[in-house]
Amino acid sequence: MAAPEQNNSYYEATVSRPQYAALDRSMDTDVCIIGGGYTGLSSALHLANRGLRVVLLEAGAIGSGASGRNGGQLYGGQRQDVDWLEGQFDHDTARRLWALGNEARDLVKSLIDTHSIDCDYTPGIVIAAHRARHVDDYHELADKLSRNYQEPGIEKLDRDGLAALIGSHAYHGGYVDWNNGHLHPLKLALGMARAAHGAGADLFEHSRAESIEHRAERHHIRTALGEVRADRLIIATNGYLGNLVPGLAAYIMPINNFIVTTESLSEQTIADLCPRRVAVADSRFVVNYFRFTRDNRLLFGGGENYSRHLPKDIAARVRPRLVAVYPQLAEARLDHTWGGTLAITFNRMPHVGHLTPTCVFAQGFSGQGVAMCHLAGQLLAEALTGKSERFELMSRVPVPRFPGGRWLRWPGLVAGMSWYSLLDRL
């Protein structure tokens, strides 16, 4: 399991971290969880609440991977829209999968409320069309969600309505969904860790799982200084899987995404630009996503690379995208720049399943992990405790391997992603 690169993010600058010890001994437990992001933390909380002994191993610090670096946008539904789902599955399965995605969003809201997690939750996400030809499609989708899926709180936006809501004329229209929202993702992760630890889970930081052996009907997980012997095992590493479980690596592709924040802006500037403080995601293949923080900064994400490392000058990658949306902020100082690794699947649907009868995994959330990771953690806990109906629904979704195998898949991904990125600019 690879450890995350150094993180100089706005999120890290605005939290006070609790410290969890590194594993330095041998332990026996009911369930070992590898990965201290949303999926692992959710699994730990739900299992501990069922009275099981839980040990969680994190290679870096809790939430230091994608769970503590992302854009903070909380969506319902699936990464693929309802039209895609209806084209791939029968009507009932499509509706159940979409409903499961809404359950994921609602679960996060419930966890925030139940465990008093102060993570700056704010309602409203705009889906913005950067091409005029996308507007009709978005309006049809909004109508379909309201009419066929009985989703309230979705409003169609023309160009002027969108500009009035977000203070930019860069887009042609779209819709806003008030059921969705945005939050401080690292505060959420640390709140989940506090809840899991309070429920009795043992959390260990800086305890990278170096090897896994399955023998004598138990799982033996070794770290640099210790070992965990567990009856059941959860793999929740996502984009930081590395070579820990080679059989899973072929189903996901780690990619890097970049975010910046401006200096703190005046209240008047916020009132002029985005008085309702909605978040935005646009229709580009390499998506721009942005929102205003509680302390009046524009947090703007955009651009990605497909190498093993983050670029040295993230600001140079993101600033042109920011200025194209908000030219009035061209001179704003950028106070924080960072990046992180997420994992995509070939069809952008989560990859969930069993490795053995007592070992389960979830990965490949493809940019929708704030909601889906928490649900996946709950489903993994259910699968290991005899209640697997929802887990089985997700695990039956076919997720193809990336073509080219372990060594040749990367060049194919780079070529394909670069082509679609070029289409964004044409």
Side-chain angles (χ1 to χ4, degrees):
M1 179 174 60
E5 293 193 55
Q6 184 177 358
N7 188 357
N8 298 311
S9 74
Y10 164 77
Y11 302 133
E12 289 286 353
T14 51
V15 299
S16 177
R17 276 187 169 277
Q19 300 296 313
Y20 297 97
L23 180 70
D24 61 357
R25 60 191 185 276
S26 295
M27 295 185 68
D28 290 283
T29 190
D30 296 322
V31 185
C32 179
I33 300 167
I34 303 177
Y38 293 145
T39 305
L41 294 168
S42 177
S43 291
L45 174 61
H46 286 98
L47 288 164
N49 280 339
R50 288 171 167 80
L52 278 77
R53 296 175 301 162
V54 178
V55 170
L56 180 146
L57 303 175
E58 164 55 40
I62 294 294
S64 60
S67 295
R69 299 176 185 238
N70 64 78
Q73 298 195 7
L74 177 68
Y75 292 91
Q78 297 285 347
R79 177 63 175 80
Q80 296 282 16
D81 65 27
V82 290
D83 290 335
W84 187 91
L85 293 173
E86 290 174 357
Q88 297 291 316
F89 306 101
D90 63 78
H91 182 72
D92 179 64
T93 299
R95 294 181 74 87
R96 290 174 66 199
L97 286 170
W98 188 259
L100 204 57
N102 286 341
E103 287 182 39
R105 175 197 60 209
D106 296 341
L107 172 64
V108 174
K109 293 182 182 180
S110 175
L111 290 167
I112 290 170
D113 290 341
T114 299
H115 300 287
S116 302
I117 301 173
D118 181 8
C119 58
D120 307 350
Y121 179 77
T122 305
I125 295 183
V126 169
I127 306 300
H130 83 291
R131 303 286 192 211
R133 66 177 181 270
H134 297 321
V135 175
D136 286 346
D137 291 339
Y138 280 163
H139 286 181
E140 289 176 9
L141 177 59
D143 286 339
K144 186 171 188 174
L145 289 172
S146 299
R147 181 183 62 249
N148 296 356
Y149 287 78
Q150 291 77 51
E151 293 200 21
I154 300 175
E155 300 174 13
K156 294 182 290 186
L157 300 168
D158 60 16
R159 184 173 193 136
D160 291 340
L162 180 53
L165 193 58
I166 70 169
S168 173
H169 294 276
Y171 299 104
H172 297 269
Y175 66 90
V176 59
D177 190 333
W178 296 105
N179 302 300
N180 299 330
H182 57 96
L183 48 79
H184 189 303
L186 183 54
K187 287 182 179 179
L188 175 59
L190 296 179
M192 287 293 292
R194 173 172 51 82
H197 188 254
D202 289 317
L203 311 182
F204 294 97
E205 296 182 321
H206 308 293
S207 302
R208 180 165 63 94
E210 296 184 344
S211 66
I212 302 171
E213 294 182 24
H214 310 284
R215 62 178 189 268
E217 298 185 353
R218 303 197 83 199
H219 307 279
H220 296 249
I221 304 93
R222 293 199 60 82
T223 70
L225 301 175
E227 180 183 36
V228 179
R229 296 178 293 270
D231 297 325
R232 286 160 278 188
L233 175 63
I234 290 175
I235 308 295
T237 52
N238 203 34
Y240 298 95
L241 175 68
N243 296 320
L244 183 64
V245 187
L248 290 181
Y251 292 93
I252 56 172
M253 186 68 67
I255 65 174
N256 300 317
N257 203 254
F258 321 124
I259 307 178
V260 304
T261 58
T262 67
E263 62 190 300
S264 187
L265 306 171
S266 69
E267 291 287 348
Q268 186 59 55
T269 299
I270 300 298
D272 292 341
L273 293 181
C274 195
R276 301 188 71 177
R277 294 178 182 261
V278 295
V280 181
D282 70 19
S283 56
R284 287 174 171 83
F285 181 79
V286 181
V287 63
N288 288 331
Y289 52 94
F290 48 95
R291 61 191 182 89
F292 290 90
T293 65
R294 178 177 286 182
D295 60 350
N296 293 346
R297 301 172 188 273
L298 174 62
L299 186 150
F300 195 102
E304 57 192 31
N305 72 359
Y306 318 112
S307 75
R308 304 291 181 180
H309 301 286
L310 301 173
K312 293 182 179 179
D313 191 351
I314 288 174
R317 298 285 191 105
V318 182
R319 185 184 283 277
R321 289 170 170 261
L322 185 159
V323 173
V325 177
Y326 288 116
Q328 58 270 59
L329 298 180
E331 301 303 318
R333 186 180 70 245
L334 299 183
D335 282 351
H336 307 91
T337 64
W338 72 98
T341 302
L342 65 146
I344 62 172
T345 60
F346 193 77
N347 63 1
R348 304 303 190 268
M349 292 294 287
H351 184 214
V352 177
H354 279 94
L355 282 178
T356 73
T358 57
C359 176
V360 291
F361 66 88
Q363 60 178 9
F365 300 99
S366 303
Q368 198 156 335
V370 178
M372 290 304 298
C373 285
H374 286 87
L375 180 72
Q378 185 181 50
L379 300 188
L380 296 174
E382 290 175 359
L384 291 181
T385 54
K387 183 182 177 184
S388 61
E389 179 183 357
R390 297 191 304 162
F391 173 88
E392 294 299 336
L393 173 63
M394 286 299 300
S395 68
R396 288 196 298 270
V397 174
V399 176
R401 294 171 180 258
F402 277 90
R406 179 179 174 188
W407 301 112
L408 298 180
R409 62 196 171 114
W410 203 278
L413 172 89
V414 172
M417 299 291 252
S418 298
W419 168 249
Y420 284 107
S421 178
L422 175 63
L423 293 182
D424 280 344
R425 299 192 293 272
L426 293 179

